[in-house]
Amino acid sequence: QVQLQESGPGLVKPSETLSLTCTVSGGSITSYYWSWIRQPPGKGLEWIGYMYYSGGSYHNPSLESRVTISVDTSKNQLSLKLSSVTAADTAVYYCARRRTTDYFDYWGQGALVTVSS
Amino acid sequence: QSVLTQPPSVSGAPGQRVTISCSGSSSNLGAGYYVHWYQQLPGTTPKLLIYANSSRPSGVPDRFSGAKSGTSASLAITGLQAEDEADYYCQSYDSSLSSLVFGGGTKLTVL
């Protein structure tokens, strides 16, 4: 059974960079695309981007200039960096496994990141 | 404002059938892109409910079904149960935005 677990700071200051890690267990990170999705408190879901271990990555154009997604195959981990954050970036951040027809079948528990000084 | 439009809320009594609509356009559902559905129980992670328009992952009861026609899609839940009370999201790809997109979500209340 594939399991995903997000980790990282729960509080980030405005204008700084948000950094999160997703550890994948129960399967190899080299077999699929892996994605980040976020959900502001009380609001809907927003796709951030996804990446394949060999380098192919795709981002939401609305966030592309601020997003970096990377994969560390030695640790079976996916990472997210979101730069120049504002309060609007406060959200629960999920990592998820993307399947070929663009759906997400396994999700992490989510990590709440608050942007505040 | 999402390019996939869902009603903010729907409700039904136990045992009834409810449907949740997801309305798109020629750049997403109308272009032939698949629609997928997720269930998010209160305080929990989204769970895949329907993929590729109408397929159910293993473990999802057959009370849940999906359909797509033209620029619209729907999720039907029959034999409504109290534990179905949740938020439901549709998701697809939009070629104009070059982005995966989610609907705004629909809150299902079981009366």
Side-chain angles (χ1 to χ4, degrees):
Chain A
Q1 178 80 345
V2 174
Q3 292 187 315
L4 296 83
Q5 180 65 58
E6 303 88 348
S7 59
L11 181 64
V12 181
K13 290 182 168 56
S15 80
E16 295 190 345
T17 295
L18 177 160
S19 296
L20 291 173
T21 298
C22 172
T23 301
V24 178
S25 58
S28 173
I29 203 167
T30 62
S31 301
Y32 296 91
Y33 277 85
W34 302 88
S35 185
W36 288 98
I37 296 159
R38 69 180 182 178
Q39 184 173 35
K43 297 188 178 181
L45 299 163
E46 179 181 32
W47 173 68
I48 297 171
Y50 58 69
M51 182 168 186
Y52 194 58
Y53 80 100
S54 61
S57 65
Y58 302 86
H59 305 139
N60 186 327
S62 70
L63 298 170
E64 180 143 27
S65 63
R66 299 194 291 132
V67 169
T68 302
I69 297 175
S70 59
V71 169
D72 185 336
T73 56
S74 67
K75 297 180 180 179
N76 235 34
Q77 289 180 337
L78 173 75
S79 295
L80 169 70
K81 292 189 186 301
L82 182 65
S83 63
S84 305
V85 297
T86 69
D89 294 310
T90 294
V92 175
Y93 287 76
Y94 296 101
C95 57
R97 189 175 80 172
R98 171 196 172 262
R99 300 305 299 272
T100 307
T101 47
D102 278 335
Y103 63 92
F104 307 102
D105 60 349
Y106 285 99
W107 296 63
Q109 290 304 301
L112 173 62
V113 179
T114 301
V115 178
S116 174
S117 56
Chain B
Q1 201 78 328
S2 177
V3 295
L4 299 178
T5 302
Q6 298 181 236
S9 64
V10 298
S11 63
Q16 283 190 332
R17 178 181 188 271
V18 296
T19 61
I20 297 173
S21 61
C22 177
S23 178
S25 68
S26 59
S27 61
N28 41 69
L29 304 187
Y33 295 109
Y34 287 119
V35 66
H36 318 291
W37 292 90
Y38 302 88
Q39 175 193 59
Q40 187 174 30
L41 298 171
T44 69
T45 291
K47 169 192 170 184
L48 178 67
L49 206 58
I50 298 288
Y51 66 96
N53 301 337
S54 58
S55 297
R56 272 189 314 276
S58 173
V60 173
D62 59 7
R63 301 188 297 107
F64 296 90
S65 63
K68 175 176 170 279
S69 178
T71 60
S72 294
S74 62
L75 172 72
I77 309 172
T78 58
L80 203 57
Q81 299 178 4
E83 54 262 38
D84 297 332
E85 192 161 282
D87 292 324
Y88 292 84
Y89 294 91
C90 60
Q91 177 245 311
S92 185
Y93 177 80
D94 188 279
S95 58
S96 293
L97 298 175
S98 296
S99 179
L100 298 181
V101 290
F102 288 91
T106 298
K107 182 175 181 60
L108 168 64
T109 300
V110 180
L111 302 171

